[in-house]
Amino acid sequence: MKLVKAEYKQSEEKYSRFFSLSIDLLCIANFDGYFKYLNPKWKKTLGWSEQELISKPFIEFVHPEDRESTIAAAQKIIQSVDAISFENRYLCQDGSYKWLSWNATGFGEENLIYAVARDITLNKQNEIELQNSIRELEAFKYALNAHSLVAITDKTGRITYVNDLFCQISKYSREELLGQDHRIINSGHHTKAFFANLWKTIVKGKIWKGEIKNKAKDGSFYWVDTLIAPMLNSDGNPYQYVSIRTDITQRKVSELALLERSRLSLLSAEVSLALSQSGTLPEILQNCTNPISQYLDIDFACIWTFEGQTNQLQLQAGVHCTDVTCSALNASQDFPNHMVLADNIIGLMAQNHQSIFNEKLSINNSEKFLDSTFSILRLSAYPLIVEQQLIGIMALVSKQLFTEATHNLLNWIANSIAVAIDRILAREELLSRREALLLRLASQIRSSLDLNMILQTAVNEIRSLLQIDRCYFLCYLPHPSQPSLTITYEARNPNLPSILGNISLQKSALLTKILISQELICIDDIKSNSYLDDDLQELLTEFGITSQLMLPVKSNSGEIGAIVCSHCSGDRIWTNSEISLLQAVCDQLAIAIDHAQLYTQSRSATLAAQTQAEKLTETLHKLQQTQSQLIQNEKMSSLGQLVAGVAHEINNPVNFIHGNLTYANEYFQEMLTLLHLYQQHYPNPQIEISDLTEKIDLEFITDDLSKLLSSMNMGTNRIREIVLGLRNFSRHDEADKKLVDIHEGIENTLLILHHRWKDNGIGLDISIVKEYGSLPLVDCYPGQLNQVFMNILNNAIDALEESMIKLKTNDKPQIIIRTEILDSKFVVIRIADNGLGIEEDIRKRLFDPFFTTKPVGKGTGLGLSISYQIVVEKHGGNLTCLSEPGKGTEFWIEIPI
């Protein structure tokens, strides 16, 4: 009996150890839903103590979502003798849940459930993650097929798989793609180096990413963002390639459009900047072509303008681009055959003034044009039009087609360039007119001896010329006891108050110092000028002056003065040209002041001593005559030097051209003879020669070239005649008396004035009637006598022009030149016109110095006075004028033989 008890106890201990040491969760539960026994693994797994687990129904520890299935499983266990398996989640003490896998069976006799549970949380998580991964992969596959072009190739690049979207985008069927390589969709956009780099990357087992432009079956293009991933075998070498492409055509189009808009915006900004800069016309236009070559893909760009007098196209700016650099074009060196292109364009554009856009242009002899690769070019050309007049052409040549946006911008650029050209030409004309106006002003100043009129005229004209707010004359009298600083004359904007009168010396100490030292002051903006002291700054502010230019007038009388130009509405940039021209006026003004003061002193002396009046008047008269003669002699001397120099410089190249025309004609005739021999002995030429002969119209060229050489010969003969006339007229090397042919001098003078009297689109269509007598050679000063002919003929042309303007009925203006011998002692030259004639009181004063009937700026009143001195005093002859109103005018020039 003891033995049996011992064995039972030993067995009970074994089962107890099995229950406590099990790695699974073992339990016995009542049918009422409470645990009865639990092994220690429960506490290790869930964290609850055995007492906590036993004290509550086990269903409370089950996850709410699993309670219904757990109750159903418990009912099956109670009702069945077979083991039941199920899974649920149990609450842990830390609030988390763990997955348990159950095997349970019921024992109805004892109303107990015996169960084994195992913690499968890790496996369950892995299973869930696997299911999620599978779902994600399915979603990724779906998304990939829905939104990406997928293709798989073998290691040689042959396509083994493509998805539906690949076929849809490429327009190829799956059967057409399988077995092909990707060259079937190659657009030709990318270089060979591009694809070489792609293969170099993927054959190394690396992933390649990039954007590729492909070509669909229907010829359309599409862009794809591409990823190519190599699939590696166990050796680490690619055995196939998977390419995943995303269609980015719309984005690429948008990017290119945005890039183009950005590029065109920069181009328009740089062209606008170039057109706003100062400089010569070629410089400004070259600064326009440079950004065009920078922002547009062109081979070259050119801008021509029409030359003013000949109306021929002249290359002003151009740029030639290669694959490496762009360089400016030079018409004579880099681009000698630019007129080939220009003639092509002007032929297309001359009629309707319409632009040419992306036209395919084929040019013969392209090897002479730029280089042999440019035989077929894309031409876009734009007329430069101002007020419906074609003033030039802008042309661009490219291998690529321009977009509509580029075309619109180039149209805008052409319009802007046309306006700029017109503005530059107008500015140059304005500067020329401005300089002429200043010279006229100087002439007016020097022709008057009234100091008040001189200074008032000066400030009026300068203000009008420079378009400034105020111009005034500042005078400083350094009297020992009471020095004064006074504004004596002014011209101002009517809205500004007058500032005539004395200026406080206390506030103008610096100004007085500057006047005494005869310095020039140029202030663009008084606020930013550190040269001014506080007193002068305050004085200028009091006068409302914001910008000022002061030029000293240096007279010999001891009086200190200055011309002051001021602006009262912001800063004013005083240019060097304005300062230079005003300085010249101030120099003339100083001379005029001296003369005026001398005249005033002479009048004072006359009033003081009447006995000296005639002498002083005669002295003053001689002074005026001497001055005018010196001025005129100096002008004519300079003119003679200039004319002689110009004639000499023109004569050399003209003689060279004229001499070579003979040889050119001989060579042409010899080549023509050779050509006729070829035509005679080879009557059936090759088809290329026949086509070219027909295309260039050989017969017309042969005939026209001969006429061309003949006309060039006539032209050079005409130039030589003009040059000879200029040299004979100037007679720069003939200062002494010489025996000359009077008729030759007259003819040379008529040649010089040819542009005024001849009907050539400019002249007045005056008829010149020559009634020459038989004259001997006359001993005279030929250059001075030519000056007399020039003055009298000029006056005759002026008179005829005036009659045509006033009467508008003188349809046949005429000048008659007669020569004859009078009493065997004099040679008489009679120059008569059929103009309006001259009143008697005016005729009597014609030879007085400074007397003129012409409007201001038209004449100085010195021409006939100088002519009278030359004829009467220099040659001992006579100069008379015969005229009646309405019967024309005739001058008699008598020169002793």
Side-chain angles (χ1 to χ4, degrees):
M1 190 65 180
K2 289 183 179 179
L3 180 59
V4 173
K5 288 183 178 179
E7 290 177 354
Y8 176 78
K9 185 178 181 180
Q10 185 178 5
S11 176
E12 190 179 45
E13 290 176 354
K14 288 181 180 179
Y15 285 116
S16 177
R17 285 196 299 273
F18 173 77
F19 190 78
S20 61
L21 297 177
S22 174
I23 62 174
D24 293 326
L25 289 80
L26 305 179
C27 69
I28 301 173
N30 292 317
F31 280 0
D32 60 3
Y34 284 87
F35 289 116
K36 186 175 183 180
Y37 298 107
L38 297 167
N39 70 341
K41 188 64 174 178
W42 280 87
K43 180 174 177 59
K44 292 180 180 179
T45 301
L46 300 180
W48 301 105
S49 66
E50 182 179 358
Q51 185 61 37
E52 289 173 325
L53 290 169
I54 291 175
S55 63
K56 296 180 180 180
F58 59 75
I59 197 68
E60 291 188 11
F61 294 94
V62 177
H63 193 283
E65 296 178 358
D66 299 337
R67 287 177 183 176
E68 185 177 348
S69 61
T70 301
I71 292 172
Q75 290 175 350
K76 287 182 181 181
I77 294 170
I78 294 172
Q79 297 171 1
S80 174
V81 295
D82 295 326
I84 301 298
S85 298
F86 64 95
E87 296 174 351
N88 62 10
R89 287 167 285 183
Y90 258 64
L91 180 64
C92 298
Q93 190 181 29
D94 60 4
S96 63
Y97 286 90
K98 288 192 175 181
W99 279 94
L100 302 180
S101 175
W102 294 89
N103 279 306
T105 185
F107 192 60
E109 295 177 357
E110 299 179 356
N111 290 332
L112 295 176
I113 299 173
Y114 293 87
V116 178
R118 178 166 291 181
D119 183 3
I120 61 168
T121 302
L122 184 59
N123 293 339
K124 201 68 177 179
Q125 289 175 347
N126 291 336
E127 181 183 343
I128 293 171
E129 289 177 359
L130 179 60
Q131 292 297 328
N132 290 338
S133 297
I134 292 172
R135 284 194 295 271
E136 289 175 359
L137 286 173
E138 289 296 330
F140 176 74
K141 181 180 178 182
Y142 175 79
L144 193 63
N145 284 322
H147 301 287
S148 297
L149 293 75
V150 181
I152 300 176
T153 67
D154 60 19
K155 64 180 180 181
T156 65
R158 297 290 174 181
I159 300 173
T160 59
Y161 168 82
V162 290
N163 68 346
D164 293 338
L165 190 58
F166 193 108
C167 298
Q168 178 184 339
I169 299 298
S170 68
K171 307 291 192 303
Y172 288 100
S173 66
R174 185 172 279 101
E175 291 73 18
E176 289 176 312
L177 292 170
L178 295 179
Q180 299 289 332
D181 59 26
H182 280 81
R183 279 179 289 189
I184 192 173
I185 55 173
N186 187 359
S187 65
H189 174 77
H190 304 285
T191 63
K192 292 182 178 180
F194 176 85
F195 289 108
N197 179 64
L198 183 154
W199 276 100
K200 183 179 179 182
T201 301
I202 62 177
V203 296
K204 291 181 179 179
K206 298 179 180 179
I207 294 175
W208 183 90
K209 294 181 180 180
E211 296 178 350
I212 300 178
K213 183 179 182 181
N214 288 335
K215 184 178 181 182
K217 184 178 180 180
D218 63 359
S220 61
F221 296 98
Y222 62 96
W223 281 87
V224 287
D225 190 1
T226 304
L227 181 147
I228 302 177
M231 300 285 101
L232 307 179
N233 57 24
S234 58
D235 297 332
N237 296 319
Y239 67 89
Q240 68 178 12
Y241 302 99
V242 177
S243 63
I244 301 173
R245 298 173 172 86
T246 303
D247 186 1
I248 58 170
T249 304
Q250 292 301 320
R251 190 200 79 193
K252 202 69 178 178
V253 170
S254 300
E255 286 179 356
L256 293 174
L258 182 62
L259 180 62
E260 182 182 31
R261 285 197 298 272
S262 175
R263 188 174 67 249
L264 295 182
S265 297
L266 291 173
L267 173 57
S268 64
E270 292 209 20
V271 169
S272 298
L273 179 62
L275 293 177
S276 67
Q277 302 298 315
S278 60
T280 64
L281 181 60
E283 290 172 346
I284 292 174
L285 296 184
Q286 188 64 50
N287 290 337
C288 290
T289 57
N290 290 338
I292 289 175
S293 66
Q294 178 182 352
Y295 292 106
L296 299 182
D297 183 14
I298 62 169
D299 292 300
F300 59 90
C302 301
I303 299 176
W304 293 270
T305 59
F306 283 102
E307 201 276 327
Q309 296 182 352
T310 64
N311 208 35
Q312 295 292 318
L313 279 177
Q314 181 178 3
L315 181 67
Q316 295 289 354
V319 62
H320 173 209
C321 294
T322 64
D323 292 337
V324 181
T325 59
C326 291
S327 57
L329 287 174
N330 181 290
S332 60
Q333 297 176 5
D334 301 330
F335 200 10
N337 295 291
H338 67 95
M339 289 309 298
V340 175
L341 177 62
D343 291 339
N344 259 338
I345 300 171
I346 196 63
L348 298 171
M349 193 177 289
Q351 298 300 324
N352 55 17
H353 292 182
Q354 295 297 315
S355 60
I356 300 169
F357 182 45
N358 285 338
E359 180 167 320
K360 198 172 185 180
L361 181 65
S362 179
I363 298 178
N364 294 326
N365 299 324
S366 60
E367 67 278 1
K368 293 182 179 180
F369 186 56
L370 278 179
D371 60 55
S372 59
T373 62
F374 287 173
S375 57
I376 302 296
L377 304 168
R378 295 285 180 181
L379 169 67
S380 294
Y382 302 87
L384 307 179
I385 299 174
V386 174
E387 296 181 353
Q388 307 302 318
Q389 182 180 359
L390 184 66
I391 64 170
I393 296 172
M394 179 179 73
L396 299 93
V397 176
S398 172
K399 298 187 185 74
Q400 303 295 328
L401 295 174
F402 289 144
T403 65
E404 192 68 28
T406 301
H407 176 56
N408 293 335
L409 177 64
L410 289 173
N411 260 322
W412 174 85
I413 289 175
N415 292 334
S416 299
I417 288 176
V419 172
I421 291 173
D422 187 57
R423 186 182 70 246
I424 292 168
L425 296 178
R427 183 176 63 195
E428 290 176 353
E429 182 181 357
L430 178 62
L431 289 175
S432 176
R433 290 170 56 194
R434 174 180 292 184
E435 187 170 350
L437 182 59
L438 282 174
L439 291 175
R440 185 168 69 251
L441 172 63
S443 176
Q444 291 175 358
I445 290 173
R446 297 190 62 186
S447 65
S448 173
L449 295 175
D450 186 341
L451 185 58
N452 294 329
M453 188 186 78
I454 290 173
L455 295 177
Q456 190 61 56
T457 300
V459 295
N460 288 340
E461 292 288 348
I462 292 173
R463 178 183 174 269
S464 175
L465 174 69
L466 300 185
Q467 293 296 298
I468 53 177
D469 292 332
R470 193 193 304 270
C471 179
Y472 56 90
F473 184 78
L474 187 63
C475 179
Y476 175 69
L477 295 177
H479 195 278
S481 61
Q482 191 175 2
S484 64
L485 184 64
T486 310
I487 297 176
T488 54
Y489 303 90
E490 73 168 349
R492 58 185 169 84
N493 187 317
N495 297 326
L496 296 177
S498 174
I499 58 173
L500 290 173
N502 293 331
I503 299 176
S504 170
L505 292 176
Q506 184 178 359
K507 290 185 178 181
S508 56
L510 177 60
L511 185 61
T512 304
K513 180 181 178 183
I514 294 171
L515 269 175
I516 294 173
S517 61
Q518 295 285 281
E519 296 179 29
L520 184 148
I521 298 179
C522 180
I523 304 171
D524 296 332
D525 185 359
I526 64 168
K527 293 181 180 179
S528 59
N529 193 287
S530 58
Y531 180 75
L532 306 177
D533 61 7
D534 293 339
D535 290 336
L536 187 53
Q537 184 97 22
E538 181 183 349
L539 178 64
L540 295 178
T541 304
E542 180 182 332
F543 287 159
I545 294 173
T546 58
S547 175
Q548 183 164 283
L549 173 65
M550 186 175 81
L551 298 99
V553 178
K554 305 174 183 178
S555 66
N556 296 321
S557 62
E559 186 174 299
I560 301 173
I563 287 290
V564 184
C565 302
S566 63
H567 217 52
C568 303
S569 53
D571 60 342
R572 169 63 152 88
I573 306 299
W574 308 100
T575 65
N576 291 332
S577 61
E578 290 173 337
I579 295 174
S580 177
L581 290 173
L582 286 176
Q583 186 64 63
V585 171
C586 288
D587 292 341
Q588 299 296 325
L589 190 60
I591 296 173
I593 291 173
D594 287 340
H595 290 171
Q597 290 180 342
L598 178 60
Y599 178 68
T600 302
Q601 293 171 4
S602 300
R603 290 188 62 185
S604 299
T606 300
L607 294 174
Q610 188 64 39
T611 57
Q612 299 294 324
E614 293 182 0
K615 185 176 181 180
L616 289 175
T617 303
E618 182 180 357
T619 301
L620 179 60
H621 181 71
K622 288 184 178 180
L623 176 63
Q624 293 172 349
Q625 288 185 328
T626 302
Q627 179 198 3
S628 63
Q629 187 172 357
L630 287 174
I631 294 170
Q632 192 71 11
N633 288 342
E634 182 179 355
K635 287 167 62 179
M636 291 305 297
S637 176
S638 299
L639 178 62
Q641 293 178 16
L642 176 63
V643 169
V646 170
H648 178 73
E649 291 300 324
I650 293 175
N651 195 46
N652 289 335
V654 168
N655 284 338
F656 172 78
I657 294 171
H658 182 75
N660 283 320
L661 282 176
T662 303
Y663 300 105
N665 188 49
E666 292 177 1
Y667 297 157
F668 167 68
Q669 296 299 331
E670 291 171 357
M671 292 175 65
L672 187 61
T673 302
L674 178 61
L675 179 60
H676 288 159
L677 286 175
Y678 266 107
Q679 291 176 332
Q680 179 180 349
H681 293 287
Y682 297 98
N684 300 312
Q686 294 293 327
I687 186 65
E688 291 85 356
I689 297 176
S690 298
D691 291 344
L692 182 59
T693 302
E694 182 178 354
K695 185 174 182 180
I696 66 176
D697 196 352
L698 181 60
E699 183 177 354
F700 170 79
I701 291 178
T702 302
D703 181 63
D704 193 60
L705 184 55
S706 178
K707 295 177 181 178
L708 183 66
L709 290 171
S710 177
S711 63
M712 291 169 66
N713 189 58
M714 292 174 62
T716 53
N717 275 327
R718 178 62 179 157
I719 296 173
R720 295 174 70 197
E721 292 173 3
I722 294 173
V723 168
L724 182 61
L726 289 171
R727 295 181 63 186
N728 289 337
F729 176 81
S730 65
R731 296 189 179 272
H732 177 60
D733 54 345
E734 296 181 17
D736 298 327
K737 275 191 174 184
K738 291 189 177 182
L739 292 173
V740 296
D741 184 356
I742 294 295
H743 294 155
E744 182 183 356
I746 296 173
E747 291 297 326
N748 290 331
T749 306
L750 289 173
L751 181 64
I752 299 300
L753 295 175
H754 184 274
H755 70 286
R756 294 202 61 196
W757 60 265
K758 186 66 176 177
D759 181 17
N760 57 356
I762 301 174
L764 302 174
D765 194 17
I766 297 173
S767 174
I768 305 293
V769 179
K770 304 172 186 176
E771 298 178 2
Y772 292 164
S774 178
L775 303 181
L777 297 179
V778 178
D779 189 19
C780 62
Y781 297 95
Q784 295 185 20
L785 201 56
N786 285 345
Q787 181 182 347
V788 173
F789 298 152
M790 174 72 78
N791 290 335
I792 294 176
L793 285 170
N794 252 327
N795 283 340
I797 293 171
D798 288 342
L800 292 173
E801 183 180 14
E802 182 181 1
S803 69
M804 294 173 70
I805 293 173
K806 288 185 176 180
L807 298 181
K808 298 183 179 179
T809 58
N810 193 351
D811 296 330
K812 295 181 179 179
Q814 186 179 73
I815 295 176
I816 301 175
I817 305 175
R818 300 184 179 92
T819 61
E820 56 187 348
I821 297 177
L822 181 64
D823 298 331
S824 302
K825 296 181 180 180
F826 292 88
V827 168
V828 179
I829 302 98
R830 297 159 59 188
I831 300 175
D833 64 68
N834 60 344
L836 297 176
I838 304 173
E839 298 287 346
E840 179 63 22
D841 57 337
I842 295 176
R843 188 189 65 80
K844 293 179 179 179
R845 301 178 60 194
L846 281 180
F847 303 114
D848 291 346
F850 302 105
F851 176 77
T852 180
T853 61
K854 297 176 183 177
V856 176
K858 187 72 175 177
T860 61
L862 293 176
L864 291 178
S865 173
I866 298 297
S867 298
Y868 187 85
Q869 293 177 17
I870 292 172
V871 174
V872 178
E873 297 179 12
K874 285 282 188 178
H875 291 85
N878 294 312
L879 177 60
T880 57
C881 175
L882 305 176
S883 181
E884 291 181 25
K887 294 185 178 181
T889 303
E890 183 175 17
F891 282 89
W892 282 51
I893 306 168
E894 299 179 10
I895 304 295
I897 295 176

